[in-house]
Amino acid sequence: AKKTLKRITQDIQYSIDRADAIVAVSESTKQDLTSLLQIPEDKIVIASPGVDVERFQHQYSVAELEQMKEKYNLPDKYVLYMGTLEPRKNIERLVQAFALVHQQPELRQYKLVLAGKKGWQYDSIFARITQLGLEQDVICTGYVDEADKAAIYQQADLFVFPSLYEGFGMPVLEAMAAGVPVATSNV
């Protein structure tokens, strides 16, 4: 394993040395490249990704929206997280915050929808949901088809993305394109 890691590191360094420029998706990624790999800042170009706004602003019929609710077991009122379920996404903390908010009588009609596939070390997320007694109030959709994302975003009352580490954070941009209010971390 050490030989393999050393070889990979050598390959990366070789590619860095030969490259005229390196494209990063964000200032955050650029900072990681300069601090972790000692790449000179002037060698890194930022090219932020974008989304097809028309796709995320598509006007769905009532029947289409109802079909999406049925397919993913979506409630009428929900706070949405969309992304892989893994520790760096800070979902346990999101579940804890939801538990606190959900204690307010005027907010009990809201559910938390965790939309996305299971990543690494996801068990603690489900353990926290159970520990807090939120099994009926937190809906886990599993993998979401790319074609269905816009309708799921559009029906959400709020999109939350409390990630602890991101290179860019495409779901934030997608939610904004869909016209959903967004609460996110500063990373």
Side-chain angles (χ1 to χ4, degrees):
K2 285 185 180 181
K3 284 183 180 180
T4 302
L5 183 58
K6 185 177 180 181
R7 178 69 181 148
I8 291 169
T9 305
Q10 289 171 339
D11 289 348
I12 291 171
Q13 191 60 54
Y14 176 77
S15 296
I16 290 168
D17 293 341
R18 288 188 38 91
D20 292 326
I22 296 171
V23 178
V25 296
S26 66
E27 184 63 38
S28 175
T29 299
K30 179 179 179 176
Q31 290 172 8
D32 286 347
L33 291 170
T34 58
S35 65
L36 297 173
L37 299 175
Q38 289 73 51
I39 299 172
E41 283 192 38
D42 60 352
K43 194 172 190 174
I44 303 170
V45 177
I46 298 173
S48 299
V51 296
D52 180 355
V53 174
E54 288 182 20
R55 181 179 143 226
F56 285 93
Q57 292 180 352
H58 176 77
Q59 297 297 308
Y60 293 94
S61 69
V62 173
E64 289 172 315
L65 293 174
E66 285 302 318
Q67 181 183 19
M68 208 59 57
K69 280 185 175 182
E70 192 173 310
K71 180 176 181 179
Y72 292 101
N73 191 32
L74 300 174
D76 289 330
K77 295 191 148 299
Y78 62 93
V79 173
L80 174 65
Y81 163 84
M82 178 92 66
T84 306
L85 306 181
E86 58 187 40
R88 76 180 175 92
K89 301 294 187 171
N90 205 17
I91 300 168
E92 276 188 66
R93 179 78 41 101
L94 171 59
V95 170
Q96 288 175 309
F98 177 76
L100 292 173
V101 168
H102 203 253
Q103 291 174 4
Q104 306 300 314
E106 66 275 13
L107 300 174
R108 285 206 180 111
Q109 76 268 22
Y110 290 93
K111 305 289 185 191
L112 175 61
V113 173
L114 303 177
K117 66 181 181 176
K118 296 174 182 173
W120 60 282
Q121 296 182 351
Y122 62 84
D123 290 332
S124 61
I125 297 166
F126 295 101
R128 180 69 58 174
I129 292 167
T130 302
Q131 178 189 29
L132 295 170
L134 294 172
E135 297 93 329
Q136 302 302 312
D137 299 302
V138 178
I139 297 154
C140 299
T141 67
Y143 175 78
V144 173
D145 291 328
E146 196 65 33
D148 297 340
K149 283 184 176 182
I152 293 171
Y153 281 120
Q154 287 180 18
Q155 294 180 84
D157 294 280
L158 174 68
F159 177 74
V160 291
F161 201 70
S163 188
L164 296 171
Y165 182 83
E166 286 296 325
F168 186 80
M170 286 299 292
V172 172
L173 196 58
E174 292 170 346
M176 288 180 186
V180 180
V182 173
T184 188
S185 62
N186 65 355
V187 297

